[in-house]
Amino acid sequence: MICDSKTDAIRARQSAVRVDLRAVCASSLECAPHPSAPFVNVNCPAVLRLDTTLPAEGEPLSWFGTLGIRSFCGRQREEKDVIPGAFTYHRPSSVAEAVAILVSHGDEARPLSGGHSLIPMMKLRMAAPEHLVDLGGIADLKGITDDGSTITIRAMTTQHELIASDLLAQKLPIIRETALLIADPQIRYVGTLGGNVANGDPGNDMPALMQCLDAAYVLTGPDGERDVPARDFYEAAYFTALAPEEILTAVKIPVPPAGHGYAYEKLKRKVGDYATAAAAVVLTLDGGTVTFCSIALTNVSDTPLYAKEAGEILTGSTLDTATVARAVAAAEAITEPASDGRGPAEYRTKMAGVMLQKALSRAATRAAS
Amino acid sequence: MSDIEQIPVTMTVNGKKVQRFVEPRTLLIHFLREDLNITGPHIGCETSHCGACTVELNGMSVKSCTMFAVQADGAELTTIEGMANADGTLSALQEGFRQMHGLQCGFCTPGMILRAHTLLKENPNPTEEEIRMGISGNLCRCTGYQNIVKAIQYAAAKLNGTEFQEAAE
Ligand SMILES: Cc1cc2nc3c(=O)[nH]c(=O)nc-3n(C[C@H](O)[C@H](O)[C@H](O)COP(=O)(O)OP(=O)(O)OC[C@H]3O[C@@H](n4cnc5c(N)ncnc54)[C@H](O)[C@@H]3O)c2cc1C
Ligand code: FES
Ligand code: FES
């Protein structure tokens, strides 16, 4: 099928029809595939889940090729490709004020946190919000607190701050391990936990981790707050339970028992790359027997994947080879990756299995028995 | 153009207070280069990958191509133009890059030095591994990084008052 509009492409994406993207990108999408495609996710909402065909000769599709829009369809880079569209800038100082701005502008407004997912999209005009609501001036949205059984991380806490937190290092060390595998130091100084989990990009690492930890997201809107479990939040790529007038204000994480084992294993091609596949594991052992095991996977489907069955298979086992193989097979079975610059779908599924196996063995060596 | 709203931003760049009116969509790198004529920070990829545009903002290394100037309102910034010592002599890092041949074409250098500057403030005595991870958001197409790592080790030693030992190849 040949799509020539964004709506077509999204519809086709949802029905998983094969689509020829050349027409889509060249026409009303007004965008090219992600300019940094050899390094990062194919971020275009239209291409994410498509079973793409390789380009014909003379028609380079830049996500298979070299850097940049410059090479895309022979089109030269233009002012409009890299400079974001115009918008009205708002810098509220409270959550209530921010929500009120979102309410009055509906779909045309977007929150801005670290901007390291949103600004690249705006440069490509894949996002063109008319109103940007910068959450950077809201002091309330910063900080990490612990009430004994739950750790609450406020949305504007940066990845750098997650890495530096002694509280997290002690009680939830898997967060630091994961954050260190995200992007590079510069990006981690500004990229926030809230932005990472609210974004809805399956390439983001924190969402699967939050599913593994059974975290809940606190969404604040005009009618107050509601908690949505991370495991129910993600609907499809860039589609989440977040309403346009809501702000994700905090992430609440139940503290795993002291002595739990953990690991986040991520296969990537270079620093700053999104995962080819990644697995998060938290488990507890008692005398060598698994008493609890939670598993989630990154970037091998439209959404992060909570691998419930795989965790259940392992619970009660001694992590013997046969049981681990069964759990890995169960995890692989729920994956549905796209074939892209990171490799064909089959490879990425297998890599999800390999990452899980590595994460399980590292988590086991870290767990108190 | 006149119907586009311009809003005031104030920041301290290399110790000097500046105020300008900008369109909200102006990226910080364009603000620095075009409005302030501070052209040390370079535009390499413009897509948050290469680090050539790295500046220090409120003690953090940031890629100024992926931030709006309005987000930096009130901030303190340092660029390569602010790196020399007050008397005009080269700072330890600049001297290190010079002595250790930490640059060839020099395109990545302003970003590398600014990143290394923040890294050494946070970790005055980094291991080689920490230096390599610390500059992993900065690409260099010329040097192969070896001499950049040495330049940063040189600067760390100088700042710590210890002797720089060049690692055996
Ligand atoms: C080169 C590069 C490499 C990267 N590599 C990785 C990687 O390996 N792994 C990874 O996980 N990420 C990666 N990222 C993404 C980075 O971690 C982003 O910072 C992060 O995904 C988004 O956080 P942010 O604070 O920058 O959000 P923004 O870009 O500001 O926002 C992202 C989206 O979420 C919405 N939003 C933001 N905050 C809220 C909120 N509080 N409530 C409701 N909606 C909100 C925004 O409207 C926007 O739609 C990379 C980015 C770059 C540029
Ligand atoms: S120009 Fe900013 S990271 Fe390359
Ligand atoms: S010296 Fe040329 S890019 Fe680094």
Side-chain angles (χ1 to χ4, degrees):
Chain A
M1 130 174 225
I2 295 194
C3 303
D4 58 9
S5 75
K6 182 171 176 172
T7 335
D8 271 356
I10 287 173
R11 214 173 286 136
R13 173 163 71 77
Q14 282 161 352
S15 58
V17 181
R18 285 176 74 91
V19 187
D20 183 333
L21 289 165
R22 280 157 289 184
V24 186
C25 299
S27 65
S28 54
L29 252 190
E30 265 201 84
C31 77
H34 200 282
S36 43
F39 303 117
V40 302
N41 227 13
V42 175
N43 264 333
C44 174
V47 292
L48 259 168
R49 289 293 303 137
L50 298 177
D51 192 1
T52 52
T53 44
L54 279 162
E57 215 185 348
E59 289 176 294
L61 278 183
S62 66
W63 67 90
F64 289 109
T66 50
L67 195 85
I69 316 174
R70 282 155 228 176
S71 64
F72 179 66
C73 297
R75 190 160 64 106
Q76 291 300 308
R77 187 176 65 158
E78 296 162 25
E79 191 263 4
K80 76 179 181 62
D81 290 325
V82 282
I83 312 298
F87 56 84
T88 304
Y89 178 73
H90 305 264
R91 196 176 168 90
S93 53
S94 71
V95 171
E97 210 186 311
V99 168
I101 301 168
L102 292 179
V103 169
S104 59
H105 298 290
D107 262 357
E108 281 157 15
R110 287 278 275 278
L112 173 71
S113 292
H116 273 56
S117 289
L118 185 54
I119 296 176
M121 299 273 266
M122 288 176 65
K123 287 183 183 177
L124 293 166
R125 310 265 174 137
M126 279 156 57
E130 287 175 25
H131 295 268
L132 266 196
V133 186
D134 187 349
L135 305 180
I138 307 177
D140 254 16
L141 287 180
K142 279 276 190 193
I144 307 174
T145 49
D146 177 14
D147 76 2
S149 59
T150 307
I151 288 183
T152 302
I153 307 178
R154 307 288 292 164
M156 289 297 284
T157 306
T158 62
Q159 291 150 12
H160 181 79
E161 289 161 347
L162 298 176
I163 292 167
S165 159
D166 291 335
L167 174 66
L168 294 182
Q170 192 200 337
K171 295 206 161 170
L172 275 166
I174 194 170
I175 292 189
R176 179 172 197 275
E177 179 160 296
T178 306
L180 278 168
L181 294 170
I182 292 178
D184 61 42
Q186 282 95 316
I187 293 165
R188 295 193 294 258
Y189 279 113
V190 279
T192 65
L193 177 64
N196 199 292
V197 299
N199 195 25
D201 180 340
N204 284 137
D205 290 290
M206 287 296 173
L209 176 59
M210 293 305 139
Q211 293 192 335
C212 172
L213 292 168
D214 199 13
Y217 301 154
V218 182
L219 310 183
T220 308
D223 304 324
E225 280 185 2
R226 61 183 181 124
D227 285 5
V228 177
R231 291 173 189 175
D232 299 336
F233 183 75
Y234 299 95
E235 293 162 3
Y238 299 101
F239 290 88
T240 67
L242 186 78
E245 65 281 356
E246 281 178 321
I247 288 173
L248 191 154
T249 44
V251 177
K252 290 189 200 165
I253 308 169
V255 180
H260 70 276
Y262 65 91
Y264 189 75
E265 283 285 350
K266 174 175 175 179
L267 177 66
K268 53 181 176 161
R269 296 165 301 177
K270 62 177 277 293
V271 167
D273 191 15
Y274 290 88
T276 301
V281 168
V282 169
L283 54 73
T284 53
L285 294 180
D286 185 6
T289 299
V290 177
T291 45
F292 167 83
C293 180
S294 179
I295 298 168
L297 307 172
T298 296
N299 215 14
V300 280
S301 182
D302 244 10
T303 62
L305 295 173
Y306 169 50
K308 184 165 186 280
E309 195 191 336
E312 284 167 359
I313 291 172
L314 291 163
T315 307
S317 80
T318 54
L319 292 174
D320 54 287
T321 319
T323 314
V324 168
R326 266 202 305 135
V328 166
E332 287 177 0
I334 61 170
T335 67
E336 211 189 333
S339 294
D340 66 11
R342 293 184 182 75
E346 299 78 355
Y347 167 74
R348 298 181 64 188
T349 291
K350 278 293 164 208
M351 288 307 107
V354 172
M355 290 304 110
L356 174 55
Q357 227 168 326
K358 288 175 86 170
L360 284 169
S361 72
R362 215 148 50 83
T365 61
R366 282 166 163 173
S369 202
Chain B
M1 291 299 282
S2 57
D3 57 339
I4 296 175
E5 183 202 15
Q6 304 254 333
I7 56 178
V9 294
T10 308
M11 36 187 125
T12 308
V13 183
N14 300 324
K16 265 200 250 123
K17 201 157 179 174
V18 297
Q19 186 175 41
R20 293 285 190 284
F21 281 82
V22 296
E23 233 195 283
R25 64 168 167 169
T26 309
L27 296 166
L28 182 57
I29 185 73
H30 294 140
F31 178 72
L32 291 170
R33 293 178 58 88
E34 288 160 25
D35 292 27
L36 302 183
N37 208 19
I38 292 178
T39 55
H42 288 160
I43 302 176
C45 64
E46 220 164 12
T47 58
S48 347
H49 286 93
C50 73
C53 63
T54 301
V55 299
E56 188 177 73
L57 181 144
N58 293 339
M60 307 179 294
S61 306
V62 301
K63 294 181 172 175
S64 59
C65 72
T66 311
M67 178 175 275
F68 295 115
V70 288
Q71 289 177 278
D73 187 34
E76 293 228 6
L77 273 89
T78 308
T79 70
I80 192 69
E81 285 84 349
M83 280 297 296
N85 298 324
D87 62 3
T89 56
L90 295 183
S91 61
L93 269 164
Q94 290 170 309
E95 189 183 304
F97 272 71
R98 180 178 173 180
Q99 294 300 334
M100 295 295 116
H101 303 284
L103 62 147
Q104 287 176 26
C105 79
F107 193 84
C108 69
T109 315
M112 281 288 180
I113 290 187
L114 265 293
R115 173 62 199 128
H117 175 62
T118 309
L119 173 69
L120 291 183
K121 277 203 238 171
E122 284 180 1
N123 182 358
N125 225 333
T127 61
E128 177 180 337
E129 170 80 10
E130 286 166 346
I131 293 175
R132 287 184 183 273
M133 291 317 284
I135 59 168
S136 59
N138 295 71
L139 299 180
C140 175
R141 297 279 88 146
C142 302
T143 63
Y145 302 98
Q146 295 293 94
N147 288 346
I148 293 179
V149 173
K150 282 187 202 160
I152 297 170
Q153 288 169 328
Y154 176 105
K158 175 146 188 189
L159 293 167
N160 295 331
T162 55
E163 202 179 329
F164 170 61
Q165 302 264 344
E166 200 170 320
E169 300 269 317

